[in-house]
Every structure is written in structure tokens, then in C-alpha cells.
Amino acid sequence: MALSPTNPDLLVRDFLRHNRWSQWRARTAETAFSALALLVFAGFALWVGDSLWTRLLAPGTPWARPLPAALVGVATAFAIVARARSRGQGLARVHASDWLAAMPLPAGARRNARARLVGSDAALWLLGVWLTLAWAWLRADQSAPVLVVALALGSLGGSAIAWLMPGAPSEPAAERIQRRERASAVAIAAGTQGLRLLGAALEPAAARLPRSAPWVAFAFLLFPQSTPLIAVPGLVLLFTALTLSLDLIGHWHVRYLADQAWLDAQPLLPRHLFRAYLPYLTRRTLVLSLIFGACLHVLGAPLLFALALTVMLAAAVADAVLCGFATRRAPGRFPMLLILHGVIVVATTQVLPPALPLVWLGCALTAWRQGNR
Amino acid sequence: MNRVHPETLLQVEDLHLSFGANAVLRGVDLAIVRGQLLGLVGPNGSGKTSLIRAVTGLLPVAPGQVRIAGIDLAVDPLAARRQFGFAPDPTRLPPALSGRQALSVAAAARGLDTTPASTLELAERLGASRWIDQRIETYSLGTRQKYAILIGLIGDPPLLVLDEVMNGLDPISSHELKLELIERCERRHCGVLLATHGLEIAPTLLTDAALLHEGRIRHRWGSVELGHWRHADPGAFERAVVAALRSDPAG
Amino acid sequence: MTAILQISNLSKTYASGLQALKPVNLDIQRGEIFALLGPNGAGKTTLISVICGLVRATTGSVLVDGHDIQRDYRSARSLIGLVPQELATEMFETPLATAAFSRGLFGRPPDPALIERVLRGLTLWDKRKDRIQTLSGGMKRRVMIAKALAHEPRVLFLDEPTAGVDVELRRDMWALVRELRDAGVTIILTTHYIEEAEEMADRIGVINKGELILVEEKSRLMAKLGSKTLTLQLQDPLALLPPELAQWQLTLKDSGHVLEYRFDTNAEENGIPGLLRRLHELGIGFRDLNTEQSSLEDIFVSLTGKRAEAAA
């Protein structure tokens, strides 16, 4: 295998890492702040997760039985493979025509580099999953909880497949997406309505990105044991609405950065570009949060509670979008800002829930002003 | 060393290429021997870039054959690619790397341990070294173009394939590049395929020129004709190209 | 006369330590054509990018018609149009759509009459519904200009408008820039062709290695630097310059095969006809003759040379 450090793609990765590292070092204050926010978030996740694990691993839950546990393991493997596959295909598409495409590279060199890049990504995931499992195992009363074993095996299997699978592009799929994007560009041009129509381009872009749908399967884990079968469709719908909201933010963010990249040659007002996506985002968010709230209500939540959660979901999506807007010049800070806002909101709910709308408004306004700078 | 030095560096035979129903190349025949600096000229949309992409293996072609220094590009792409250097599209250079880093990656891709000193020296001569430790995304088009050229020339491959590389270069650097290309052809017996629409530079740089039009090579000028135009007024070659296009029954 | 663009102490230093732009002070007058002349990588694009808000300056400020580009960026940017080097218009199919869309980018209300005027002015009206891909290189550049003009800017930046454009199109472009100026647009263009700066500009700024070396009225700069060389390839080599030719500034080169005559382009009488007549009378035949203008390199050499003298 030509996996020497002189593999140009791996060299590019090393250089990028080096550049990112020197950038972090150059901005000490910001890096320290981000690290702190990450630590606070991790602490919060530990605190929430702790009670979750004790409940999930209690004897007598369906997950203590081999078959449901095995299903969860398979879902884990599937999610990891799906993620690796879409990443490998993306890289293969880039490699087919990038600046090194005409270089005298051995046939396997670029495929190996892809496998390495995708594989190290999968390895990181595996590490994360196993650390979580180790923690769960420590908290569990049994010596070897079936669910933990299933998740460990599933993630290991998924990562192994991701390692061994060379990222081959599926050409017809790539072409189809390009054709659709082109069609939407034509639609925008024909309308000559300016920026408003940029949002329309989000629809085909959404098809291109990896869906987080496989993760919906994990929602089953959270269903209380006593869930009646009749409530399951409602619950599935509810979690689907949640994951689709996540997808919505992800798709929008990728598209927004891409649009900004080619529109940046224009001395363009940031908020005019931002406004372009609002109709699309508002429509989607409204529909998804209404489905979410309706499901909650149908499943037995009091009307007021369901309404409050509906508003919170919509507010969360809006906040995430504003964070994307605020960090448009340095997209690397997007997750950090999201985490920070998350920590602030959670802290407020714990300390002084009535202040939540005000705090949220404060976060949103800061992000808006930051983005407009 | 008793290495075989094939005289013909590029041999293109009956090359066809179509995008859907649109035939771009309709049987191109072209050859470059050592020491030749061949300009590929032709109007916009005549297929110059497609031919360059086919010759470098970036577009699969069928039917047709491309041999680089005697090696069939379709049969042994790796060995064939070792024999040519290609300056990539300057807009495709990795934006987050510095020029120096991009050069090391390109050197690694050609199997070299480090960027050759001659490449860094050429960067200096082209006036590109001031920006070398700066990220490529901050470069102007001209500076990007210079790094794309340096990447194409790295490792001294016998054949150089260059697509419109004179675009956006200032007079000093384009003069330096001319000197470098001429030196490589005369002293080191390299060959150059240079697609260009700037006809002014042609007579002072090229030893040969080929006119691509409607997917075929319609006319070819040799060193004698070009040498003649070198001492005539600068518009002579341009007039010859226009005359060849007019007399072309397909055009 | 008020300056439409006031640049004071503007500089850009990157984190890597590269000083892309040393402090620049420059006023651009309303309605003038200003050419920024310098080789690739000298900082021309950096200067334009800072003014257009694409790159943040390290020090200094820029006022566009009195509006600060940072504090009052909205007013400042709406007065600016930029034609970048790269032809990035793939997304939009036709010139008409591109121009109309670009107006929308600036938040201006649609104005079909204005778009029509802009496209007609650029002779793009007949091709308004053609796909941009099918247009020639020169026409594509016109589309980029139409795009930059669609929101009625007062200052237009042209970043190397003629790079990769053939001689004929270059002349068209020059004429076009003059028309725009006559319509009241202030124009700042970058170029590395001295003849382009000479042809178009009212004033010329020379920039090298991030430093604005000088800013001068074109006529004065050309008087300083506008010497040309006439080179004669002699049929038979001359061992010595005949004394009859003493009134011309001549040098013998290439072991007597080449005769060089340096003359001032701005002088009313360049002396060439007289020289040729005298050569004929003396029976000195030549095979070939050509003239060469002082190149950008000569200018830099003479400028840096002069600066060294001044420092000494």
C-alpha cells in the first residue's frame, strides 16, 4: 500500500491540520474561550446522559433482550457506514478533477488516501462511541449489559466496513444532483427576482447532503418501556420532525457558505443575502415544529406544554440559523457558537425559566449584530 | 545511462470526443517531438481545452489514442503521466494551503522528497516568491497562475502541457516564462504543448503552431514560417491564422 | 474639487507577516480615470479588495464620497462597482438575467429601463438572451461590467480588464472605459501593460512590492519615462560611428551589427526621418528596423534608480 507520508492527499491533510493549529495558536483568547464552552457542554452532556443510561440499562427494558439490542447494534453499524460512504463519495468526486488529477499517482494512491481519510474519521467516531459505552458500563448494575455489547459490536463492525470500503463515486447520482442544481440555477435566473430565489436552491441541495435519518432509529431507545404500540407512529413522527429540523439547519448552512463564496466578489450587504433564505427556512421550520407539537399533544402532553415545546423548537432552529449568519466569515466557529448558546439556554432553564425568552432574544440579537458587521 | 529517449513526446491519433450529441473533437492528429514548442491556436470554443484535458487523461476518450513519449495513456496511465507536467486550472488550487505547501504536495505527487531548488528559483524569477508563505485564497489571479505553472514544471518532465498560462501574467514574468520554456526546449530537449489565444506571443516563442478548428487540426505552421514572421511585423501571424480560418471549408 | 475616494494610511499585513500593502495615501478625483500599474503580486488586487470590503485593512481608512467603508459601509458599497479578474458568472444564464440579478443583490428595486440602458451601452442588448457560455471572451467581460454597473455605482473598479483579451478587444475595452467616464463614472483600473495605462488614464500610480512608488499625471510620467528605442539591423557591420551621425544619440551594439537610437516620444521632432535620410546618404543599409517602447521593467529600473539617487 502506498500509504507513505508522501501520499500527496495525506500531505494536504497534514498541512491543513498544521495551518489550523497555527491559526488557533495565533488567536489564543478565542481558542481558550471555545475550549471552555466545549468543556461546559461536555459537562452538561454527562449530567443529562448519566440519568439516561441508568434508565436505559435498567433490567427489564426491551433493550435487555438480545433481539432488540441486536437491532440497535445493526442500526449503529448502518449509520457509521452511511456516513463514511457519503464522505468517501464526496472525496472521490473532488479527486476526479482537482489540481492533482493529472499527476503521476499510482492507481491506488488516491483511493488509499480516501480510505485513510474516511477511516480515521470512522476511527474517531468509534473512539467516541466506545468511551460513551465504557462510561455506561461503569454506571450499569449488570456485568455486561446486552445493549452495551450490541452497540460496541455494531460500532466496531460499522467502522471496519468503513475502513475497508474504498470510496467509489456513484456517477449517475452525482450527475443527477448536478442536473438538479443547474435547473434551480436556471429557475433563479429566469425569475430575475434577485436574492429572494436563492432559497429555492436549497431544495436540490438538501438531496445531496447525508441525511441524519438513520439516527432516528436511536430514538426508539428513549421510548419508555410502557409505550403502547399505538403511540409508536406518533413518536416516530415526532423524532423525524426533530431530525429533519437538524437536517434543515445543516443543508442551509452548507448552501449559505457556498452561495456566499461566489457572491463575495460583490460588495454585498450581508443581511440581503441572509434574507434570501428566510421564506424557505420559515416555511420548513413552521411545518416541522407544528408536526412536533401536534404529536406531543396527541401523545398526551397538555396543550400549553406542547405549545411551549413547539415554540422552543422553532426558536432553536432560528437561533442556529442566526449563529450560522454570525459566523459566516469564520464557519469553523459555528458549532462553538451553537454550543455556547445551548449552554446559556440550558443554564437559564435550570436557574430562572421565566427569563428564557429574554435570554434567547439577547443571544439572537447579538448573533444578528455580529453577522451584520 | 542507456535510457531510451523516444524522439516523439506526444502522439495524438484520430482523437474523438463528444459531450452528449455535441462532438467537440472529430479526429485530431497531432505530434510533438523533442525541442518543439507547439502552440495550439484556435477561436474560442474550438476545443483547445477539451484537447488539453484529453491529452492529460482528465477526460476519457474513445475512439482515439494518446501516446506520451511512446507510452499509451490508456494502457499505462501512470508511466505516461510521469512523462508530462500539466499546469492545473489556477482557480482549482487548494485555497487553504500556502504556495510553498502546494509546491511540496506537487513534488510529493511526482515522487520527490522536497520541492526542487530550481522550482523555488523560478518562483523568484517569476516574482511569485513574495507570496509563497501566504494562503492561496489571498492570491490574485496572476499570482495563482504563476503557482499553477510552477506546479506544472516541477520535477522537469520531458513534456509540458500548458493551457492559456500567459493569461494575466505581467510582461516581466511572461518574459521570464518564455525564457524558461525556450531554455527547456533547446537545452534539455523538452517539448511543450501550449494552448493560447494570444497570437502576439506566438512568433517570438513558438517553434510550431497548429490551428484547431471545428474539432480537427486544420493547419500547421513549422519553424521556418514562424521564424519568418518573427522578423516581420507582429500582426503577420495573426493574419495567417485568420487566412487559414477563412480558407477552411468547414469554417 | 473634492476627491470621491480618499485613502489614508491604508495598509494590509497578513498573519504570516507578509506586508501586502505598505501604508497608502491617495485621493481619486471625481470623474477621472486612474490606472494602478504594477506587476502581478504587487498589491493591486489587495488594494482594490480592501476598498471593496473583501479584505479587512490592518491600518488606515477609506472614504467613498465621504462615507467610511467600515462605519458607513452600506452607503460606501452602494457607490462602488467591481469588475473582478475572474469571470464568475456561470450560475446565470443570460446577460439580462445577470444584470437584473446583480441589481437585486444590492437591494435596489428592479428597473428594466436602466438595465436596458446599461446593456445597450455595452452593445449587449442584442445578446441579452444568449447564454453567457456561448459569448466570446470580450463579450463575457462586458457582461461582468454590466453586472457591476447595474446598481448605478459612482466609482467603478476594473481589475485587469484586458488580461487574456486580444489586441482588438483591448481597444474596444479602452473606448468603452472612456464612454463610461464621459457618463460620469470615476474609474480605477489595474493593469500591467504600460501602453494601457498610457492610452486610458488621466493619472497613473505605480505600485511594486506593496508600495505605491509614485502617483503622477500621465503626461508628466510619460515625459519622464517615454523614451523609445529604434533598432536598426545593419546590412554590413560598422566599426565606428561616422561623425556625420553625431547629432543623434546613437549606440553601436552586437559588434557593429546593430544601431540603436533612443528618442523621446513626447518631443515634437523625433529625428527619425532625418536619421534615415542621412544613413541613406552615407550608404549605410539596414535589413530590418523596429521600435521598442520603454517597458514596465525599464520604468521600475529607472524609478528605483532615481530613488536611489535621491537617497544618495
Side-chain angles (χ1 to χ4, degrees):
Chain A
M1 290 234 293
L3 285 183
S4 62
T6 53
N7 183 310
D9 289 310
L10 299 181
L11 200 56
V12 168
R13 177 194 61 182
D14 292 349
F15 279 138
L16 288 177
R17 271 187 196 160
H18 170 265
N19 292 356
R20 215 172 300 140
W21 174 243
S22 32
Q23 219 169 24
W24 281 342
R25 260 198 340 211
R27 302 185 190 137
T28 332
E30 194 178 299
T31 309
F33 179 75
S34 301
L36 198 71
L38 197 65
L39 273 177
V40 172
F41 183 73
F44 172 68
L46 279 174
W47 173 67
V48 171
D50 209 39
S51 60
L52 196 69
W53 280 122
T54 9
R55 217 179 61 210
L56 271 177
L57 296 177
T61 56
W63 318 116
R65 291 200 301 274
L67 195 64
L71 274 176
V72 174
V74 170
T76 312
F78 176 70
I80 290 174
V81 171
R83 187 187 149 80
R85 216 177 121 71
S86 81
R87 177 125 197 271
Q89 286 185 352
L91 280 174
R93 262 200 305 276
V94 171
H95 285 179
S97 62
D98 71 351
W99 67 296
L100 294 171
M103 282 286 182
L105 294 169
R110 303 211 87 178
R111 205 175 48 237
N112 286 338
R114 283 202 290 276
R116 273 284 285 272
L117 294 172
V118 172
S120 57
D121 189 58
L124 264 179
W125 271 86
L126 184 65
L127 185 72
V129 171
W130 278 40
L131 277 176
T132 319
L133 290 177
W135 165 44
W137 183 60
L138 282 175
R139 301 288 306 160
D141 302 328
Q142 307 117 294
S143 54
V146 183
L147 181 62
V148 170
V149 173
L151 280 171
L153 289 178
S155 54
L156 185 65
S159 305
I161 298 173
W163 260 98
L164 297 172
M165 193 182 56
S170 74
E171 281 307 325
E175 267 172 36
R176 209 169 48 238
I177 291 161
Q178 266 174 7
R179 211 172 37 240
R180 259 196 276 173
E181 282 193 341
R182 177 137 199 90
S184 77
V186 174
I188 293 171
T192 65
Q193 298 294 307
L195 286 170
R196 226 156 27 84
L197 286 147
L198 275 179
L202 275 165
E203 311 261 357
R208 180 175 199 151
L209 284 144
R211 294 245 165 213
S212 19
W215 301 101
V216 178
F218 295 96
F220 286 104
L221 290 174
L222 301 172
F223 296 173
Q225 198 193 340
S226 52
T227 308
L229 207 60
I230 192 132
V232 168
L235 280 168
V236 168
L237 204 59
L238 188 134
F239 280 101
T240 310
L242 266 180
T243 46
L244 284 182
S245 304
L246 284 179
D247 275 343
L248 181 69
I249 298 163
H251 300 155
W252 167 77
H253 192 238
V254 169
R255 188 76 212 185
Y256 175 56
L257 294 179
D259 286 344
Q260 191 190 260
W262 72 264
L263 286 170
D264 225 16
Q266 305 285 333
L268 171 66
L269 294 183
R271 66 164 167 278
H272 283 165
L273 176 58
F274 182 64
R275 217 185 278 155
Y277 310 96
L278 289 185
Y280 170 85
L281 288 173
T282 315
R283 219 166 40 234
R284 288 285 168 112
T285 310
L286 268 181
V287 170
L288 290 175
S289 46
L290 281 177
I291 291 176
F292 176 76
C295 288
L296 272 180
H297 187 55
V298 168
L299 288 169
L303 186 65
L304 211 62
F305 181 71
L307 260 177
L309 281 187
T310 307
V311 171
M312 276 190 79
L313 177 64
V317 172
D319 187 63
V321 168
L322 278 171
C323 285
F325 177 56
T327 55
R328 75 204 151 83
R329 292 253 177 237
R333 297 180 206 165
F334 177 53
M336 281 301 158
L337 193 61
L338 265 185
I339 290 172
L340 180 71
H341 280 196
V343 168
I344 292 173
V345 165
V346 169
T348 316
T349 50
Q350 294 301 312
V351 180
L352 190 67
L356 198 58
L358 265 180
V359 168
W360 181 85
L361 210 65
C363 284
L365 269 178
T366 330
W368 173 249
R369 289 184 51 180
Q370 204 180 332
N372 266 313
R373 225 182 284 150
Chain B
M1 292 267 278
N2 259 346
R3 264 187 60 201
V4 187
H5 271 268
E7 197 49 35
T8 306
L9 288 174
L10 177 69
Q11 180 88 52
V12 175
E13 275 170 22
D14 196 28
L15 198 67
H16 287 77
L17 180 74
S18 13
F19 297 120
N22 182 16
V24 181
L25 302 179
R26 304 169 182 175
V28 173
D29 295 293
L30 191 68
I32 295 181
V33 299
R34 287 187 179 275
Q36 267 186 347
L37 225 156
L38 179 109
L40 184 67
V41 299
N44 281 327
S46 57
K48 294 194 294 282
T49 297
S50 298
L51 179 56
I52 293 274
R53 288 173 63 79
V55 162
T56 50
L58 293 173
L59 281 177
V61 283
Q65 198 186 40
V66 176
R67 298 176 82 85
I68 315 277
I71 305 158
D72 191 326
L73 185 66
V75 174
D76 191 351
L78 179 60
R81 282 179 168 176
R82 286 209 178 101
Q83 302 299 317
F84 72 79
F86 171 61
D89 180 353
T91 59
R92 282 179 198 258
L93 297 183
L97 295 190
S98 68
R100 193 191 295 283
Q101 289 171 332
L103 291 177
S104 333
V105 172
R110 297 209 78 98
L112 304 169
D113 292 336
T114 50
T115 310
S118 61
T119 303
L120 296 175
E121 191 247 334
L122 182 60
E124 180 69 46
R125 268 164 50 210
L126 292 179
S129 46
R130 201 164 86 89
W131 291 81
I132 197 163
D133 286 314
Q134 195 58 40
R135 280 172 179 235
I136 290 174
E137 62 196 351
T138 62
Y139 291 3
S140 70
L141 194 59
T143 308
R144 264 178 215 234
Q145 183 66 269
K146 289 175 185 176
Y147 279 92
I149 293 165
L150 290 168
I151 286 165
L153 267 56
I154 216 164
D156 302 335
L159 177 69
L160 297 170
V161 182
L162 309 169
D163 190 6
E164 303 284 4
V165 288
M166 298 290 183
N167 272 2
L169 289 195
D170 61 67
I172 304 169
S173 10
S174 81
H175 180 67
E176 284 296 334
L177 179 61
K178 265 188 211 177
L179 292 182
E180 174 73 19
L181 294 180
I182 291 171
E183 199 265 342
R184 281 180 185 234
C185 285
E186 284 180 357
R187 301 249 171 81
R188 287 185 253 169
H189 309 293
C190 291
V192 177
L193 172 62
L194 174 73
T196 178
H197 62 235
L199 297 175
E200 316 101 279
I201 62 148
T204 58
L205 172 67
L206 307 174
T207 65
D208 290 77
L211 173 67
L212 183 70
H213 186 47
E214 308 263 308
R216 283 197 195 95
I217 300 292
R218 298 293 178 178
H219 204 286
R220 189 151 170 171
W221 295 273
S223 53
V224 179
E225 287 154 292
L226 283 164
H228 173 69
W229 286 318
R230 196 163 303 150
H231 298 294
D233 71 296
F237 179 61
E238 200 172 338
R239 285 198 297 276
V241 170
V242 172
L245 277 173
R246 293 242 167 87
S247 66
D248 186 351
Chain C
M1 199 158 57
T2 53
I4 194 157
L5 200 66
Q6 291 168 277
I7 302 168
S8 28
N9 206 28
L10 195 71
S11 77
K12 174 70 190 176
T13 308
Y14 283 103
S16 70
L18 172 71
Q19 205 174 4
L21 208 57
K22 290 171 190 164
V24 169
N25 288 290
L26 180 64
D27 281 1
I28 304 289
Q29 304 305 323
R30 210 172 288 272
E32 76 172 328
I33 300 180
F34 186 88
L36 207 52
L37 181 68
N40 304 125
K44 302 189 297 285
T45 302
T46 308
L47 180 56
I48 286 194
S49 303
V50 170
I51 298 171
C52 294
L54 302 177
V55 170
R56 204 167 272 255
T58 311
T59 65
S61 68
V62 180
L63 298 180
V64 186
D65 208 8
H67 304 283
D68 187 285
I69 55 156
Q70 279 188 14
R71 279 197 305 278
D72 195 5
Y73 66 90
R74 187 174 178 173
S75 317
R77 286 190 194 177
S78 66
L79 291 168
I80 295 175
L82 168 65
V83 183
Q85 290 174 1
E86 276 151 281
L87 304 171
T89 47
E90 291 165 308
M91 278 285 279
F92 299 98
E93 298 273 290
T94 68
L96 183 65
T98 302
F101 179 76
S102 182
R103 192 176 166 83
L105 287 183
F106 285 85
R108 294 280 181 113
D111 185 348
L114 175 100
I115 300 294
E116 181 176 342
R117 258 202 323 278
V118 167
L119 292 177
R120 280 192 193 280
L122 293 162
T123 64
L124 279 169
W125 186 247
D126 293 340
K127 299 189 184 292
R128 66 187 181 279
K129 286 183 177 159
D130 288 10
R131 282 173 49 193
I132 291 173
Q133 277 172 312
T134 64
L135 299 179
S136 67
M139 281 293 166
K140 277 184 192 154
R141 237 163 243 275
R142 282 164 187 260
V143 174
M144 296 299 286
I145 295 175
K147 201 175 155 193
L149 288 174
H151 67 284
E152 303 160 90
R154 303 312 303 150
V155 185
L156 186 68
F157 287 89
L158 295 158
D159 201 358
E160 294 185 11
T162 57
V165 165
D166 62 40
V167 184
E168 205 172 317
L169 285 172
R170 201 171 291 165
R171 296 200 177 281
D172 287 355
M173 200 63 72
W174 293 345
L176 180 64
V177 167
R178 275 193 217 99
E179 278 167 33
L180 290 174
R181 195 262 307 269
D182 294 343
V185 182
T186 305
I187 288 161
I188 296 151
L189 60 97
T190 70
T191 180
H192 41 238
Y193 299 112
I194 185 155
E195 65 268 34
E196 188 162 287
E198 184 181 357
E199 183 72 33
M200 279 202 279
D202 300 316
R203 278 198 307 156
I204 295 173
V206 181
I207 189 166
N208 194 26
K209 297 198 171 161
E211 192 179 2
L212 194 61
I213 305 175
L214 97 167
V215 177
E216 196 84 78
E217 294 284 327
K218 177 183 67 184
S219 47
R220 283 167 56 189
L221 184 70
M222 288 304 145
K224 272 186 193 171
L225 307 159
S227 68
K228 275 192 177 182
T229 312
L230 174 77
T231 312
L232 297 162
Q233 306 271 346
L234 302 180
Q235 255 157 5
D236 304 301
L238 280 179
L240 270 175
L241 272 177
E244 290 89 339
L245 299 175
Q247 69 177 101
W248 292 276
Q249 275 201 325
L250 296 171
T251 34
L252 264 181
K253 281 192 171 171
D254 207 1
S255 58
H257 282 92
V258 173
L259 195 61
E260 268 190 8
Y261 169 48
R262 283 183 83 80
F263 61 95
D264 187 352
T265 46
N266 301 92
E268 278 183 22
E269 192 69 47
N270 59 24
I272 292 175
L275 172 66
L276 295 183
R277 214 173 313 123
R278 182 62 59 88
L279 286 174
H280 183 70
E281 286 162 18
L282 293 169
I284 302 173
F286 51 89
R287 285 179 292 145
D288 200 359
L289 94 171
N290 55 53
T291 56
E292 206 173 88
Q293 190 155 17
S294 39
S295 69
L296 192 56
E297 196 167 11
D298 297 334
I299 289 188
F300 283 125
V301 168
S302 69
L303 280 174
T304 43
K306 271 180 196 143
R307 285 165 61 84
E309 277 168 30

